[in-house]
Amino acid sequence: MIELKTFKIQDTSELISRIEDKRALLQFAGPAYRFPLTKEQLENDLNNEKRFLFKVSDQTTGNVIGHAQIFLKEATFLLGRILIWDQNNRGKGYGKKIVQELLQYGFSHFDRETAELNVYDWNTGAIECYKKVGFKIDPDVMSEVNFDNEVWRSLNMKVSRSTFESEKV
């Protein structure tokens, strides 16, 4: 269904063109990037040896349909910046497959027993997607960010290698 391919500097303009406003950037990347997203910001990530960037391709069409990243932490690896370009492709199982592929990559490439991610509590579709892959909310890890007089609460979710392996379908 999907394939993760290494994201390269020449892929930056397509990703940048998909981020329409500050709200979309914050939802996609958390507070780490500044709007407008720039080639330089992405280049910093590409040059970070602890960050792995991917473009997501639909195997049947060969078209790039999204973006995703893995960040290597001391004891875990963090999935993040997962974006499916076209709203019409959301809710069709692509998200679950992307997360499964990221986990497969992470657990096979890094000596870590746990993966984690952060998601805003109002993004219920993404939360349900992550739960289907085996992620569970860690009630001890939470953060908040302010956006346009709103408080966005970020939940942390974790999955162990053993849970991922047993949940694979």
Side-chain angles (χ1 to χ4, degrees):
M1 181 184 235
I2 64 104
E3 180 181 10
L4 298 179
K5 296 181 178 179
T6 303
F7 183 88
K8 298 186 171 137
I9 196 70
Q10 57 266 31
D11 301 316
T12 57
S13 58
E14 181 170 27
L15 174 56
I16 290 167
S17 74
R18 303 297 181 156
I19 307 296
E20 300 167 0
D21 55 33
K22 287 181 185 179
R23 183 180 196 90
L25 182 61
L26 183 60
Q27 181 179 354
F28 160 65
Y33 289 152
R34 294 166 319 285
F35 188 80
L37 183 59
T38 63
K39 181 178 178 181
E40 290 73 29
Q41 290 177 82
L42 292 166
E43 203 165 9
N44 285 338
D45 282 349
L46 283 167
N47 292 328
N48 182 336
E49 63 186 26
K50 293 184 181 219
R51 201 170 277 285
F52 302 83
L53 286 70
F54 303 96
K55 55 186 177 181
V56 180
S57 294
D58 181 321
Q59 286 181 315
T60 55
T61 65
N63 295 334
V64 175
I65 62 161
H67 179 84
Q69 295 184 16
I70 292 177
F71 179 67
L72 194 56
K73 296 176 74 174
E74 195 165 317
T76 67
F77 62 92
L78 180 77
L79 309 188
R81 299 183 181 154
I82 300 169
L83 179 65
I84 298 171
W85 305 154
D86 187 346
Q87 298 250 356
N88 295 322
N89 283 333
R90 297 179 190 165
K92 294 184 176 178
Y94 284 112
K96 180 179 177 186
K97 289 301 291 174
I98 292 168
V99 172
Q100 288 172 324
E101 290 294 321
L102 289 168
L103 289 171
Q104 185 64 44
Y105 182 94
F107 286 127
S108 66
H109 284 76
F110 311 122
D111 185 24
R112 304 291 189 277
E113 292 303 312
T114 304
E116 63 181 296
L117 55 78
N118 297 304
V119 60
Y120 292 112
D121 64 355
W122 50 262
N123 194 346
T124 54
I127 292 168
E128 289 308 309
C129 170
Y130 303 144
K131 284 180 177 178
K132 288 178 185 172
V133 182
F135 279 91
K136 295 198 178 351
I137 294 172
D138 181 344
D140 298 326
V141 182
M142 198 176 297
S143 64
E144 292 181 345
V145 65
N146 291 308
F147 180 77
D148 280 351
N149 299 319
E150 298 174 21
V151 176
W152 289 13
R153 182 177 302 134
S154 179
L155 305 175
N156 180 268
M157 299 181 78
K158 291 184 171 75
V159 65
S160 67
R161 178 190 302 265
S162 59
T163 298
F164 172 65
E165 292 295 328
S166 69
E167 303 258 334
K168 273 202 276 192
V169 238

